[in-house]
Amino acid sequence: EDKVVQSPLSLVVHEGDTVTLNCSYEVTNFRSLLWYKQEKKAPTFLFMLTSSGIEKKSGRLSSILDKKELFSILNITATQTGDSAVYLCAVDATSGTYKYIFGTGTRLKVLA
Amino acid sequence: SAVISQKPSRDICQRGTSLTIQCQVDSQVTMMFWYRQQPGQSLTLIATANQGSEATYESGFVIDKFPISRPNLTFSTLTVSNMSPEDSSIYLCSVDGGQDFDEQYFGPGTRLTVT
């Protein structure tokens, strides 16, 4: 069965810390891996990764994919209280029919 | 990216009643998706809605409980029928990023509480 597992489930850090969030997956047909930030209700798109070893960056956030070991990490440097959210990892495993699999998320809380 | 709106943003309903959630997109999209997020859990796909065809439901979800309409390329509705407290969730609609993009964009969500 296809699955996406995120760790840790929750994390509490202080402003200025660097955090690494993990996402591992097992799917039959891998197309891409996506990271979302969810505050309140709706997830907002962060990154889409399709190729191994190519880092994607946006400000203090960066992410990389390892298709051999079947995982991805999301790094946040110099964390701020505004980074507090649930970070969701999803894998597009579409093959004929649409199939997105979401992990349970990592709940990050950044303390001032 | 698409701009998506949902109505209502939240509602409190009595068991046994039904609620229809609307999803409006500011551009024409082929595929629209409905997700449920129960408290403390991740997103679970309910169904995929393509314009002009019947919605495709995921395992564990049936049309009688979650009827979906997709009358055009910018609009869809999801009805939660004969509600029970277990239906208390956030319901999200999403669209794909278009032909060249795999990312999905989500609406603001509808927080449903069933008492």
Side-chain angles (χ1 to χ4, degrees):
Chain A
E1 184 182 336
D2 293 343
K3 63 180 179 181
V4 174
V5 179
Q6 292 185 245
S7 64
L9 292 180
S10 64
L11 194 55
V12 180
V13 300
H14 289 90
E15 273 192 318
D17 289 348
T18 293
V19 297
T20 299
L21 310 182
N22 303 294
C23 175
S24 64
Y25 61 91
E26 287 181 37
V27 299
T28 305
N29 184 63
F30 177 88
R31 291 187 59 190
S32 61
L33 185 144
L34 304 98
W35 284 96
Y36 290 88
K37 178 182 182 182
Q38 186 176 26
E39 301 169 275
K40 297 182 181 180
K41 290 187 292 189
T44 54
F45 173 74
L46 295 175
F47 298 112
M48 183 177 73
L49 304 159
T50 55
S51 302
S52 274
I54 299 174
E55 185 182 52
K56 293 218 171 177
K57 281 182 73 76
S58 177
R60 296 176 294 103
L61 277 67
S62 64
S63 183
I64 197 162
L65 173 68
D66 186 328
K67 290 170 73 173
K68 183 179 177 185
E69 299 297 329
L70 307 183
F71 78 91
S72 174
I73 60 172
L74 175 69
N75 279 322
I76 308 175
T77 59
T79 51
Q80 303 171 357
T81 55
D83 296 325
S84 297
V86 174
Y87 290 83
L88 290 167
C89 170
V91 172
D92 180 357
T94 300
S95 176
T97 57
Y98 163 85
K99 190 172 189 178
Y100 264 63
I101 305 149
F102 282 82
T104 52
T106 293
R107 187 175 299 275
L108 173 66
K109 186 171 180 64
V110 181
L111 303 175
Chain B
S1 64
V3 177
I4 305 167
S5 61
Q6 281 185 236
K7 288 195 292 188
S9 61
R10 60 174 58 215
D11 208 341
I12 300 173
C13 301
Q14 293 194 341
R15 68 174 69 206
T17 62
S18 297
L19 176 72
T20 295
I21 302 167
Q22 299 179 4
C23 179
Q24 180 76 51
V25 189
D26 69 341
S27 57
Q28 293 185 338
V29 293
T30 305
M31 298 174 74
M32 295 179 76
F33 310 95
W34 287 98
Y35 285 86
R36 180 174 75 179
Q37 188 175 34
Q38 293 179 301
Q41 299 188 26
S42 189
L43 299 170
T44 302
L45 180 66
I46 298 171
T48 303
N50 287 339
Q51 194 269 335
S53 63
E54 294 278 330
T56 303
Y57 288 83
E58 296 301 302
S59 175
F61 298 96
V62 295
I63 188 171
D64 289 346
K65 176 68 176 177
F66 297 101
I68 286 171
S69 78
R70 183 80 203 274
N72 57 53
L73 291 172
T74 63
F75 186 79
S76 178
T77 68
L78 169 77
T79 298
V80 186
S81 304
N82 189 25
M83 289 183 283
S84 67
E86 291 71 34
D87 294 319
S88 297
S89 286
I90 296 172
Y91 290 86
L92 293 146
C93 72
S94 75
V95 303
D96 63 16
Q99 200 168 11
D100 298 327
F101 302 98
D102 287 335
E103 65 266 32
Q104 286 195 22
Y105 299 100
F106 287 85
T110 296
R111 186 181 296 275
L112 171 62
T113 302
V114 184
T115 60

